[in-house]
Amino acid sequence: MKLSAIRPIALLLARELAITALLILGVSFVVFIIIYLSPGDPFGTLLKGQTTLPNAPENIRGALGTPPAWYAQYLSWLVNMVQGDFGTSTRTGLPVLNEVIRVGINTLYLTIGSMMVTLLIAVPVALFAARRGQTPVNWVLTMLAYVLSALPVFWLGYIAIYISMHHFGLFPLAFASSAQKWSWLYFMFPVLVLGLSNGTTSEVVRFLREEMSRVFSEDYIRTARAKGASIWKHSFKEGFLIPITEIIASKIPFILGGAVVVEQVFNWPGMGRMAWQAAQDRDFPLIMGITLLAAVFVRMGSLLQRFVHILVNPRASKE
Amino acid sequence: MKRYSQYTIEVGDLWDVSFWKKADTMDLIYIVYGLFIVILVVVSYVLGALSLLPHNPQEINLELLMAPPNTAGHLLGTDFMGRDILSRLIIGIQAYFLPGLLAIAIALTAGTIFGVLAGYWGGGLDTTTTYISNLLNSFPRLVLILLMVAAFKPDIYTIMLVVGVTNIPAVASLIRSKILFLKQKNFIEAAMALGLKSWVIIFKHILWHNCRAILIIQATLGMAEAILMETSLSYLGFGVQEPTPSWGNMVQAGANYFMQGNFWPSTAPALAILFTILGFHLLGDGLNNILEGKRG
Amino acid sequence: MNSRPVLKIENLRTFFYSKGKRAFVRSVDGVNLRIGKGETLGIVGESGSGKSVTALSIMGLVPGEPGVIIGKIGLKTDNIQKNLLQDLRDYVKINMSTGRIMEVYKDNVGWQKNVDRVMQGIRGTEIAMIFQNPKLALNPFIPIGKQITESIRINTPIKKRSQARERAMYWLAKVKMDSPRLRYYNNPYGLSGGMCQRAMIAMALSSDPSLLIADEPTTGLDATIQSKIVDLLADLKSSVGVTTMLISHDINVIKALSDNVAVMYGGTLLEHGPVGIILSAEHQAKHPYTAALLESIPREKHIREKGYLQAIKGDVLDTINIPLGCRFYSRCDKVTEKIQEKCDNHEPDLREISSGHSLRCWLYYE
Ligand SMILES: Nc1ncnc2c1ncn2[C@@H]1O[C@H](COP(=O)(O)OP(=O)(O)OP(=O)(O)O)[C@@H](O)[C@H]1O
Ligand code: SF4
Ligand SMILES: [Mg+2]
């Protein structure tokens, strides 16, 4: 690639980065506003089980002084966050950032793994359908994708747990101890379950099939056939790479949502389970941290998609 | 009367294309199945609302725990407390039906408004709506709802409001791209050249004639979304609480028994979820293929 | 026609099934052609007369939609031994006496696979094609040079990447691309339509084909670029001398480049012969349609604006309901009372009226 071509692309990438930063800022504001408007009293919830003094919350409030105006609160929260201080969990007293990163990695593994499973199922079906049109095999596979997408993920989880208990002697609580014989299976099951029934399979099949068939009917694919070249090679970028990054990026929120349920089913120590716990405890700093991190995951996915789009597609820089 | 040459092919002559290749046939099957599910859900909702049930869904029968289907007048058996599963499934529809309609109404109304603003007037409005939808799309929906749960302890209607709001961008972007498509085809220019008023063009020509299919499809898919959300939340314990039945908490309540090998009390509501969501998905996609001509 | 033809087509029919109208569109309906070695055959005709579909049928690139394609296409042979359509007719059952299609069991997948198998080693290698709309016809994601290199490595004995690249540079220079070494790395979007067409031509010629099919190589380009491309093609014709089937609306392009001309209308050839006879204004014996076409030349500018050729009164033939008699009857102004009955009811056959010149018109049959 020539140097003159790199400059505008670098500018575009920088622009995407800036947009991402802006959006994350917006996310933090929305999160703040929701919590700010909440009627409850996080300290009250926390102290209920820990102290018998009737007016402990008021005393603590008094000791902390009157709260400043909302924008001041937001700004100080934001400044602290930028410096890496996300506060401490009101329940455990541990720093939120460490906690969230610790569980975030588990969730990342779960999300990426199950995305792989989904793609492993959906991509062959979609490509087959794009090339071959409607065939009985294809119809059965497409139907299967639909059924998988409608399957309640928790119920599939039960089946997986039942199998692991009765066939491999594994128990959900044993997640932490990896000494058991089949324990690696226990790392696979949640990924498989979420991958199979996160509800996106049929959409991935549909989207990829349509994009691929569209590209197959482009003029330049006809040219490729006319010179005896592989149409797969020529349709790869527009028919596969761009759509697949697009669908992955747009489905990350769904898979993260599914992760909340799957983590609950399998006792998986991830963000979703922690969010569930935090929602029950009304542990505001923690759930704010988790929501932010989840949004960052989503934005990173989109950023990746935009980067691929810009780097792969020479027309993007003209848009 | 014109005569044509001998090769004129008559309609009856052709086509021995096998069943599988007729995309339309498949779409029709999708739609028929989907409509069947929709009717079943609506009828069950009405029956539930009128309390026309085979059994009292709350009636505990300790003599008949976890009966298999079709025992002693219980068509779908009983759960771990001897309650009639069929009646509980029917009543369970109350948990998502109206809230789901609320979510759909919000998503379609606001989505249409934003879509028209962005597509028809474009410019700065377009950019703004794009940013807002990117912002809304940044939140995993369930996580956002958990945040709301923590903040407000909302009921199912409020939660569905959130579901509806987070669905706005999807509807808006569909409407917007449809309008841009019409613009590109000079359709709107032509309508303006005819001297039609903006609101006539928007309501009659754009929305009614060109976007109603999109809206119907989105409503269908929106219901699937609402069911998924409600069952997930009830499963997590944030939605409808026992003993009021909802499909999600029925699956959850049956979990312990499931692990002991009594699959049915958990599986029955799970299958109800499966077939219902499947029906709404197939209906939406089948309508999309036929009305929007995705497969030509 | 003394030498063996490079391409010979017998009775080619390509129909598309139109779902909406529930009938076949008979885009190509009984075309017979032969192209001799080194010859350039120009094909003219109005928009929708089936020129592109003929070309695509030869290449086996007819879109995989419901339809029928029958006939014989032979490459480099007189008695059609290697029939490029060989097995395709297995997919339709035709009542031969009435010509009515009884049943179509074309399964597009099997059909396409079959075409791909039959055409393997012919596409690109033996027959190369230049498409109209070069900007869309080149892969926008791959630099043009790489696309040429790819074609060279597939279709010629040159397999080494570096050699193929040198060869591609050579061809880029040969089609007079300015600074070929830089352009090699450009994606099509950065190039003008004319440059893209040069690259297309380079790509087609680089594999040293026996036959080049150029489907409207100048349409859609600016007038000045058009004439440059025509000059280039004329140049290449004398220096490379490849056998060419040149399709165009533009009678001037055909005149400048071809040896023989075929006039197409409503899916068939109405006239076929040396360019000197068919396209010269002086020569009197010609098909009424050709005459009308030639008269339309002064309005050529108008054609360019419209992008297609339609300067003859009346509409282009509706290829679903093809009339019983002469296809041009409804628009013909040369019908005499004597032949009117024939024109209306019987389709004239393609007869040779002088050496190498044949046409389809009752006027010339005594
Ligand atoms: N894939 C297809 N499906 C249905 N009909 C088609 C298809 N391709 C071409 N046709 C029809 O075949 C007829 C001939 O088309 P063709 O492209 O060969 O015309 P042409 O002579 O090349 O015209 P132009 O000068 O506009 O390129 C047209 O009426 C067109 O509608
Ligand atoms: S056959 Fe008759 S109608 Fe046809 S071109 Fe000749 S004179 Fe005209
Ligand atoms: Mg054409």
Side-chain angles (χ1 to χ4, degrees):
Chain A
M1 208 181 283
K2 280 189 308 173
L3 198 68
S4 62
I6 293 173
R7 273 257 310 271
I9 285 180
L11 275 179
L12 282 171
L13 297 185
R15 182 168 165 263
E16 293 300 327
L17 271 174
I19 291 175
T20 303
L22 201 69
L23 283 171
I24 291 177
L25 196 69
V27 165
S28 76
F29 186 67
V30 172
V31 169
F32 172 81
I33 287 295
I34 289 173
I35 296 299
Y36 183 81
L37 293 177
S38 75
D41 178 6
F43 295 102
T45 323
L46 183 70
L47 292 176
K48 217 177 267 165
Q50 295 186 345
T51 172
T52 45
L53 294 175
N55 54 355
E58 286 76 32
N59 289 346
I60 291 175
R61 268 279 148 80
L64 291 173
T66 46
W70 65 270
Y71 53 84
Q73 284 189 25
Y74 174 63
L75 277 181
S76 70
W77 182 61
L78 194 66
V79 168
N80 282 339
M81 269 198 311
V82 171
Q83 291 167 347
D85 177 13
F86 282 60
T88 54
S89 158
T90 52
R91 196 175 77 102
T92 60
L94 294 169
V96 167
L97 188 61
N98 294 354
E99 286 291 282
V100 168
I101 287 177
R102 181 173 61 81
V103 294
I105 289 169
N106 287 335
T107 299
L108 207 59
Y109 162 71
L110 183 62
T111 319
I112 292 176
S114 56
M115 199 60 181
M116 295 288 175
V117 174
T118 307
L119 293 181
L120 232 53
I121 299 169
V123 168
V125 177
L127 295 189
F128 190 72
R131 189 75 186 105
R132 293 301 190 78
Q134 298 290 111
T135 63
V137 178
N138 211 322
W139 185 81
V140 170
L141 290 176
T142 311
M143 241 8 241
L144 202 70
Y146 271 112
V147 171
L148 280 180
S149 304
L151 209 58
V153 64
F154 32 88
W155 183 64
L156 193 66
Y158 289 165
I159 296 179
I161 291 179
Y162 183 83
I163 293 174
S164 71
M165 279 194 342
H166 291 263
H167 289 262
F168 303 103
L170 287 168
F171 291 90
L173 288 177
F175 174 84
S177 83
S178 45
Q180 291 183 69
K181 194 164 142 234
W182 292 98
S183 59
W184 59 272
L185 257 185
Y186 217 84
F187 287 90
M188 288 308 299
F189 269 133
V191 171
L192 275 179
V193 166
L194 185 57
L196 285 175
S197 67
N198 56 31
T200 63
T201 320
S202 67
E203 272 176 86
V204 177
V205 169
R206 219 180 129 78
F207 185 67
L208 205 56
R209 181 186 64 206
E210 260 153 34
E211 286 297 287
M212 201 74 185
S213 336
R214 181 181 63 73
V215 172
F216 275 155
S217 59
E218 292 277 343
D219 274 8
Y220 70 85
I221 298 300
R222 189 180 60 189
T223 309
R225 292 181 70 200
K227 67 178 180 184
S230 151
I231 60 169
W232 294 109
K233 181 185 161 194
H234 279 264
S235 58
F236 175 75
K237 281 184 179 170
E238 192 181 359
F240 185 77
L241 195 57
I242 291 178
I244 206 148
T245 45
E246 210 166 291
I247 192 92
I248 288 177
S250 70
K251 290 303 163 199
I252 288 178
F254 286 82
I255 298 200
L256 281 175
V260 174
V261 176
V262 168
E263 289 175 2
Q264 194 61 25
V265 174
F266 285 93
N267 256 326
W268 183 273
M271 263 162 55
R273 203 172 141 65
M274 190 171 266
W276 178 82
Q277 189 66 49
Q280 283 205 325
D281 301 337
R282 313 196 71 194
D283 188 342
F284 289 157
L286 193 55
I287 193 142
M288 287 163 92
I290 292 171
T291 315
L292 273 176
L293 187 64
V296 169
F297 278 178
V298 175
R299 293 289 13 133
M300 288 302 132
S302 301
L303 192 66
L304 194 71
Q305 182 255 322
R306 290 300 304 163
F307 273 24
V308 168
H309 190 80
I310 289 170
L311 290 177
V312 155
N313 187 354
R315 288 178 294 202
S317 46
K318 283 263 171 181
E319 274 165 15
Chain B
M1 184 61 203
K2 250 197 154 349
R3 294 145 305 149
Y4 297 111
S5 78
Q6 54 184 342
Y7 289 119
T8 306
I9 312 287
E10 271 152 34
V11 184
D13 290 1
L14 10 129
W15 254 216
D16 176 35
V17 176
S18 74
F19 176 75
W20 306 101
K21 288 179 190 127
K22 286 190 183 163
D24 290 2
T25 321
M26 295 321 307
D27 291 332
L28 281 181
I29 292 177
Y30 287 4
I31 291 174
V32 168
Y33 173 74
L35 283 178
F36 170 72
I37 290 294
V38 171
I39 292 169
L40 201 65
V41 165
V42 173
V43 168
S44 306
Y45 172 76
V46 173
L47 287 180
L50 301 175
S51 294
L52 292 171
L53 300 171
H55 292 268
N56 179 351
Q58 304 297 7
E59 185 184 288
I60 297 171
N61 180 355
L62 296 176
E63 309 287 290
L64 202 62
L65 299 184
M66 292 181 276
N70 213 1
T71 26
H74 296 287
L75 203 59
L76 289 182
T78 59
D79 70 359
F80 50 92
M81 282 164 85
R83 295 172 296 193
D84 181 51
I85 289 182
L86 179 60
S87 308
R88 288 178 73 75
L89 283 181
I90 295 177
I91 279 289
I93 292 178
Q94 310 285 327
Y96 65 74
F97 191 77
L98 284 186
L101 288 185
L102 174 75
I104 293 172
I106 290 172
L108 293 192
T109 322
T112 306
I113 294 173
F114 281 116
V116 169
L117 286 180
Y120 194 82
W121 280 285
L125 269 172
D126 195 2
T127 333
T128 317
T129 37
T130 313
Y131 278 103
I132 292 178
S133 52
N134 277 340
L135 188 60
L136 278 177
N137 279 334
S138 303
F139 294 98
R141 196 164 303 165
L142 205 51
V143 175
L144 182 62
I145 289 174
L146 288 183
L147 182 73
M148 302 290 283
V149 166
F152 303 117
K153 289 234 172 269
D155 61 357
I156 187 74
Y157 284 93
T158 323
I159 289 174
M160 284 299 162
L161 193 131
V162 177
V163 173
V165 168
T166 46
N167 260 335
I168 294 173
V171 180
S173 89
L174 284 173
I175 300 273
R176 171 179 170 270
S177 46
K178 187 85 190 185
I179 294 178
L180 291 185
F181 171 79
L182 293 175
K183 267 190 177 169
Q184 193 195 338
K185 296 263 162 199
N186 289 333
F187 174 92
I188 292 175
E189 256 178 47
M192 281 176 166
L194 287 177
L196 296 180
K197 290 203 178 64
S198 271
W199 64 269
V200 177
I201 298 179
I202 290 172
F203 283 101
K204 186 167 167 208
H205 295 275
I206 295 181
L207 292 182
W208 178 242
H209 286 298
N210 285 293
C211 291
R212 63 182 171 196
I214 295 179
L215 294 178
I216 293 172
I217 293 158
Q218 285 307 305
T220 319
L221 297 177
M223 198 48 149
E225 187 85 48
I227 298 173
L228 188 70
M229 238 351 122
E230 189 280 323
T231 51
S232 300
L233 280 174
S234 295
Y235 171 81
L236 291 173
F238 293 120
V240 179
Q241 305 288 334
E242 271 278 341
T244 311
S246 99
W247 294 356
N249 72 22
M250 284 170 76
V251 177
Q252 204 272 336
N256 286 331
Y257 307 92
F258 190 99
M259 294 311 152
Q260 292 157 11
N262 278 314
F263 303 123
W264 186 244
S266 219
T267 302
L271 290 181
I273 296 172
L274 168 61
F275 288 123
T276 312
I277 292 187
L278 184 64
F280 280 103
H281 277 170
L282 289 183
L283 181 61
D285 284 357
L287 286 175
N288 199 9
N289 290 339
I290 286 187
L291 298 178
E292 295 286 289
K294 278 286 156 60
R295 269 191 226 145
Chain C
M1 314 244 167
N2 25 32
S3 58
R4 263 193 333 176
V6 171
L7 181 81
K8 183 169 173 175
I9 304 175
E10 272 180 17
N11 223 358
L12 175 73
R13 295 179 202 278
T14 306
F15 300 171
F16 295 99
Y17 183 67
S18 151
K19 247 186 180 174
K21 300 199 173 110
R22 302 189 121 260
F24 277 100
V25 178
R26 291 151 64 187
S27 303
V28 176
D29 194 11
V31 165
N32 293 289
L33 267 183
R34 53 182 285 147
I35 305 179
K37 190 160 170 48
E39 169 189 343
T40 297
L41 175 73
I43 300 190
V44 278
E46 280 169 295
S47 205
S49 54
K51 306 182 297 289
S52 299
V53 176
T54 307
L56 291 176
S57 303
I58 295 169
M59 290 295 278
L61 290 177
V62 176
E65 287 149 23
V68 180
I69 166 168
I70 45 174
K72 288 182 179 175
I73 298 175
L75 192 68
K76 291 204 220 168
T77 165
D78 212 0
N79 40 14
I80 307 205
Q81 283 154 345
K82 185 160 182 143
N83 181 2
L84 300 185
L85 293 177
Q86 212 152 31
D87 306 314
L88 300 184
R89 55 187 315 160
D90 295 348
Y91 292 93
V92 257
K93 192 157 91 196
I94 295 191
N95 181 334
M96 275 307 169
S97 61
T98 61
R100 181 173 269 195
I101 292 166
M102 303 305 291
E103 208 178 326
V104 180
Y105 29 81
K106 179 168 133 185
D107 97 90
N108 279 320
V109 179
W111 177 70
Q112 289 235 325
K113 260 169 105 175
N114 194 3
V115 182
D116 287 347
R117 206 190 60 236
V118 174
M119 294 304 293
Q120 204 178 26
I122 292 174
R123 284 188 195 145
T125 321
E126 291 286 346
I127 312 177
M129 189 156 174
I130 301 171
F131 297 95
Q132 90 184 62
N133 232 332
K135 278 193 113 156
L136 296 178
L138 286 168
N139 192 331
F141 297 91
I142 305 179
I144 52 165
K146 284 205 176 141
Q147 297 187 48
I148 299 174
T149 307
E150 186 195 16
S151 178
I152 291 173
R153 292 180 66 206
I154 295 174
N155 296 313
T156 68
I158 302 173
K159 298 293 173 204
K160 268 176 77 180
R161 198 181 294 270
S162 54
Q163 278 178 335
R165 178 175 310 154
E166 280 314 306
R167 193 75 191 150
M169 300 278 191
Y170 163 81
W171 276 108
L172 280 177
K174 188 108 180 153
V175 296
K176 309 205 176 87
M177 186 77 98
D178 57 323
S179 51
R181 282 184 189 268
L182 278 181
R183 295 293 176 221
Y184 184 95
Y185 297 101
N186 277 153
N187 285 72
Y189 91 94
L191 301 177
S192 69
M195 283 202 259
C196 285
Q197 195 57 288
R198 282 171 202 269
M200 272 302 279
I201 294 171
M203 186 160 81
L205 292 178
S206 68
S207 55
D208 191 19
S210 321
L211 174 69
L212 175 71
I213 301 179
D215 187 359
E216 307 190 5
T218 57
T219 312
L221 303 176
D222 292 344
T224 48
I225 313 270
Q226 274 190 14
S227 65
K228 278 190 190 150
I229 295 282
V230 171
D231 291 347
L232 172 68
L233 286 172
D235 238 35
L236 290 171
K237 189 186 167 192
S238 57
S239 68
V240 184
V242 63
T243 313
T244 309
M245 177 169 157
L246 175 71
I247 298 172
S248 183
H249 299 132
D250 194 332
I251 288 176
N252 289 328
V253 173
I254 298 279
K255 231 181 199 168
L257 294 173
S258 16
D259 306 313
N260 288 314
V261 178
V263 181
M264 230 180 141
Y265 182 77
T268 55
L269 296 190
L270 293 186
E271 191 168 16
H272 181 213
V275 66
I277 295 185
I278 296 186
L279 294 186
S280 80
E282 299 90 56
H283 202 281
Q284 285 309 309
K286 53 168 56 89
H287 196 280
Y289 176 65
T290 315
L293 267 187
L294 286 177
E295 270 165 33
S296 73
I297 292 185
R299 273 183 268 166
E300 181 198 350
K301 218 175 126 247
H302 168 79
I303 299 161
R304 286 228 180 88
E305 279 159 13
K306 273 175 106 174
Y308 60 87
L309 182 67
Q310 202 217 21
I312 307 170
K313 71 173 169 67
D315 281 331
V316 188
L317 190 72
D318 162 16
T319 46
I320 290 181
N321 298 316
I322 290 186
L324 212 50
C326 174
R327 287 169 201 237
F328 191 53
Y329 178 64
S330 59
R331 299 165 76 188
C332 183
D333 52 7
K334 300 259 164 58
V335 189
T336 58
E337 231 158 81
K338 202 175 99 198
I339 58 169
Q340 192 201 348
E341 202 273 322
K342 272 189 183 163
C343 291
D344 194 7
N345 292 315
H346 302 282
E347 175 156 33
D349 51 346
L350 195 64
R351 271 191 220 171
E352 195 156 8
I353 58 162
S354 65
S355 161
H357 179 209
S358 43
L359 47 70
R360 225 182 248 274
C361 177
W362 290 119
L363 271 181
Y364 298 94
Y365 306 165
E366 249 66 86

